[in-house]
Amino acid sequence: MSRKLSIFPLTGAILFPGLQLPLHIFEPRYRAMIGDALARDRRIGMIQPADSMESAPLYDVGCIGKIDDVETSEDGRYNIVLTGEKRFRVLRELEVTTPFRQVEAELIEEPVEEYLSLGERASFEHESRKFADSQGYAIDWDSVARLDDVSLINGVSQIAPFDAAAKQALLEAPNLRERCDLLVQLMEFFGRGDPDDEHVTLQ
């Protein structure tokens, strides 16, 4: 199944199905996009551009977000909260007259009832603790332990302080186990660097 999507290309901003992403919308073209989405089905596509140039090529995979909360300021800016619904793969970019970009995309069917084995879960939490300690993060591990496997792996993938290429690889991972394995590799890689060194990158 394919559909037309208005897209918000934003480096480093990754959205996963079932998770939320707060955004401050101030550029006129994206304010127009949000106004258009609110008048239709409240959905936009979050996707990363391949570089920082205007009209840069897009990565292949993004995630549809539904605008579940919105605040409008007097000058026309928006504060919104997106809830991820489905990942999508870009088929082609469309020629449009709107100030914002649009694509034709196919929806990616997500695996159902995904879970980790007890050993996989324990190994991941162990590596997460090592990474958090190395980076100086304070984590409520009791709350982490109460998360289901999908919420844990996708949540860490979305908020982890990795570079754009790494976060894109996590989004494109085909299933939970492969995403978990990749997260462990990334935590080992980034955990070896100085937490104040902004040059540690996979790109």
Side-chain angles (χ1 to χ4, degrees):
M1 180 187 300
S2 66
R3 61 174 293 177
K4 183 169 72 172
L5 283 174
S6 302
I7 58 164
F8 189 3
L10 186 59
T11 300
I14 296 288
L15 178 63
F16 281 84
L19 299 183
Q20 292 189 320
L21 179 66
L23 293 169
H24 177 62
I25 310 296
F26 58 90
E27 288 190 51
R29 56 182 165 172
Y30 297 126
R31 284 156 50 180
M33 180 186 66
I34 297 303
D36 177 72
L38 291 173
R40 294 184 297 102
D41 62 357
R42 302 177 73 93
R43 287 167 174 82
I44 62 172
M46 291 300 303
I47 193 166
Q48 292 199 113
D51 58 54
S52 60
M53 301 296 290
E54 184 76 16
S55 301
L58 304 168
Y59 277 110
D60 290 336
V61 175
C63 184
I64 296 174
K66 181 183 178 184
I67 303 171
D68 276 338
D69 191 22
V70 58
E71 294 179 354
T72 308
S73 63
E74 292 183 359
D75 63 1
R77 300 184 181 200
Y78 292 100
N79 289 315
I80 65 172
V81 176
L82 292 179
T83 298
E85 293 191 332
K86 267 185 177 294
R87 291 183 301 159
F88 64 86
R89 181 172 286 104
V90 175
L91 298 176
R92 64 187 180 98
E93 184 159 0
L94 302 174
E95 293 186 10
V96 295
T97 58
T98 56
F100 48 88
R101 300 165 72 177
Q102 300 181 53
V103 299
E104 180 184 357
E106 65 175 355
L107 303 183
I108 299 174
E109 288 301 320
E110 304 293 343
V112 296
E113 297 184 5
E114 290 190 288
Y115 60 89
L116 303 174
S117 69
L118 292 177
E120 289 169 331
R121 172 83 183 221
S123 177
F124 177 79
E125 291 193 14
H126 174 72
E127 194 61 43
S128 297
R129 287 175 182 267
K130 286 173 53 181
F131 179 75
D133 289 344
S134 73
Q135 302 299 302
Y137 297 142
I139 307 294
D140 182 353
W141 294 109
D142 289 337
S143 296
V144 169
R146 290 193 290 270
L147 293 173
D148 63 80
D149 294 339
V150 173
S151 297
L152 173 63
I153 299 303
N154 287 353
V156 173
S157 297
Q158 183 166 308
I159 67 173
F162 304 146
D163 65 29
K167 294 176 83 71
Q168 185 66 30
L170 289 165
L171 182 67
E172 295 184 11
N175 57 58
L176 189 69
R177 280 193 168 88
E178 291 192 31
R179 187 170 296 132
C180 177
D181 289 344
L182 179 56
L183 262 179
V184 170
Q185 295 174 40
L186 290 169
M187 287 188 289
E188 291 173 344
F189 176 80
F190 283 92
R192 290 197 298 267
D194 185 332
D196 296 323
D197 184 0
E198 297 179 355
H199 300 292
V200 178
T201 175
L202 293 184
Q203 293 180 301

